[in-house]
Amino acid sequence: MTDLPARRVLLGVSGSSGALSVPSIVAWLRAVARVEQVRVVMTESAASFVAPAGLEIASGNPVLVGSPPPTADVPHVTLTEWADAFVVVPATANVIAKAAHGIADDLLSTAVLASPIPVVFAASMNATMWANPALRRNVRQVEEDGHHVVPPALGFRLSTATMELGSMPPVEELFDVVARHLRHDRAARATRAGEETA
């Protein structure tokens, strides 16, 4: 695996069966990638797939679900400013559509809109949805906005007990992509900063 150039990782979890793998992703980040801290925000539908309490145990941090009540600590700002990397895993077609159109109707979508760093979306959907023209337009828009979408991979589909396109890639492959994207973005920012001061 490529070394992950991030010590603080923010994971956004949306509602798909791919959410079942998030506890193991959190454990991998802490034990293998040696990430110092992992924070998690979830949609309400994600919480129907994986219990927030389990992710709190795995991450060692509170997990925010849905749209927390307003407080002086504005989480969509503080979390995204805190993070070195922001990964939405799994990313449903709905979350990608919200990102493409600037919709911010829960904490996860608001955090994506407020993020000062590019977001990596690990798409999790079946082949028909992935090929849908509307979804393809949304993916192009998200990437034009500076984010990155990792396509779904071949994997075991729980509902049919068959191997199909639609799963997230293995965690090592996913975070290799995250690492490359982070390095590319940092190099591009450094180049722009150099041009501005020249």
Side-chain angles (χ1 to χ4, degrees), residues 87-107:
V87 185
V88 179
V89 52
T92 59
N94 186 51
V95 165
I96 292 171
K98 287 182 181 182
H101 295 280
I103 295 171
D105 60 0
D106 60 12
L107 178 57

Side-chain angles (χ1 to χ4, degrees), residues 107-167:
L107 178 57
L108 177 54
S109 57
T110 304
V112 169
L113 195 61
S115 180
I117 58 174
V119 180
V120 175
F121 296 83
S124 178
M125 64 196 69
N126 64 49
T128 302
M129 292 180 70
W130 180 246
N132 182 279
L135 189 279
R136 304 309 308 154
R137 286 195 299 272
N138 290 337
V139 168
R140 286 194 297 272
Q141 184 60 60
V142 165
E143 295 194 327
E144 285 175 11
D145 291 342
H147 304 299
H148 186 69
V149 180
V150 180
L154 189 67
F156 186 76
R157 184 174 179 183
L158 293 176
S159 60
T160 60
T162 57
M163 292 294 289
E164 297 181 22
L165 184 73
S167 298

